[in-house]
Amino acid sequence: MTVPLSILDLAPLVAGGTAGDALRRTLDLARHAEQFGYHRYWVAEHHLTPGVASSQPALLLGQIAAVTDHIRLGSGAVQTGFLTPLGVVEQWGLLDALYPGRFDLGLGRSAQRRKSALAAAAPEATSSQAGGAGAKPVGWAAPDETETEARVVDGLLIPKSFSFAPILRSARSALFFKLLHQPDASPLDLDSAIADIETLLAGPYTDGEGNEARAVPGEGADLQIWVLGSSGGESARVAGARGLPFAANYHVSPARVLEAVEAYRSAFRPSATLAEPKVMVSADVVVAEDDETARHLATPYGLWVRSVRTGEGAVPYPSIEQAEAYEWTDEERLLVADRVETQFVGSPDTVAERLETLRRVTGADELLVTTMTPGHADRVRSFELLAKQWYGR
């Protein structure tokens, strides 16, 4: 039986475009996704990023819900370190009150990742790691990087690993986190944040001394909680121990996807939510009528990944002309190689075959695909071609 196919959208800006343009394209794509038969439509949470407009998932999903009828909507993922559990429950409770039973609350731990990176930082880490145009890529050959070699597992490429730790320790990152946090605030660990969210949803929240608090809207909301993770670390273990569904990021951290799903399944304990593990795995794809056209449309992808990997933050998605004119260094090509080599690019047959390999090797119960192209029509067409091929329509 074919597993469901879902979409992850970053509401990307393109070169020369505006945030408004990007958000209107997201609304249009969501309408098309529902028509094409996709199971879920998730939006990412990215802050202070020049090329991504999906900074507030709950706000954006309310707009998407208003222009769609039945497709499930969700976050990939709400960063639990940037909001209190009450703030999360109130936002998503409001969405469920208006559009009942349609929302997936995907949770991540971005803020806690920076805290861990700082704790493990070498004393000599300095602001020179901030990155920027013309700077040496700060993520390359990081001293705390897991030195795994590329390998192929039953047809699936598992590339050499990459570490974001130097970026998380950079002066640029420190500025971003200053803006994202209240002064002296300390983010809860992921397990504690989820525990508080689940308690508030079940309601009431009590302090053991006879006092109680209720989230309205929020208490009783019909939300499906997911945990997203990029490794076999805290996110995978917490998701498994709490019996929650887990989404693993092959498109962000392809080197660690098998580690992530294995850690989740090893930690899994049945819950009222799930009797057995449930895994969704993401992939970056570009589909066109033939392989050559798809490769042409995917030309800017490496340059866009470079902007992320050097600590600049994702830039507006480059045009094909900009990408073809860029002069790469050997070091830069190595910096983005794992992402470029694991992007699934080609005809519907080609991409569907690679997605099936990803599903088989990871044992995924669902796949989550994301697509970047300079032109909106090409992006919509990519999702349409893939859905037709995947579901045999």
Side-chain angles (χ1 to χ4, degrees), residues 236-259:
R237 294 194 300 268
V238 168
R242 289 193 162 272
L244 294 170
F246 180 67
N249 295 324
Y250 184 71
H251 83 286
V252 172
S253 298
R256 308 188 74 176
V257 66
L258 296 183
E259 167 196 330

Side-chain angles (χ1 to χ4, degrees), residues 50-96:
V52 173
S54 61
S55 59
Q56 298 293 328
L59 284 174
L60 181 52
L61 289 169
Q63 299 296 312
I64 295 173
V67 299
T68 55
D69 295 320
H70 56 80
I71 191 170
R72 289 199 66 86
L73 304 174
S75 53
V78 168
Q79 303 304 321
T80 56
F82 302 149
L83 282 173
T84 65
L86 175 61
V88 173
V89 171
E90 287 179 337
Q91 287 185 5
W92 289 76
L94 190 153
L95 288 171
D96 183 70

Side-chain angles (χ1 to χ4, degrees), residues 72-135:
R72 289 199 66 86
L73 304 174
S75 53
V78 168
Q79 303 304 321
T80 56
F82 302 149
L83 282 173
T84 65
L86 175 61
V88 173
V89 171
E90 287 179 337
Q91 287 185 5
W92 289 76
L94 190 153
L95 288 171
D96 183 70
L98 291 172
Y99 305 98
R102 290 186 62 190
F103 292 97
D104 304 320
L105 175 55
L107 301 172
R109 58 180 292 269
S110 181
Q112 298 92 329
R113 285 178 64 202
R114 182 171 189 273
K115 185 176 179 181
S116 300
L118 288 172
E124 63 271 17
T126 68
S127 62
S128 65
Q129 293 172 316

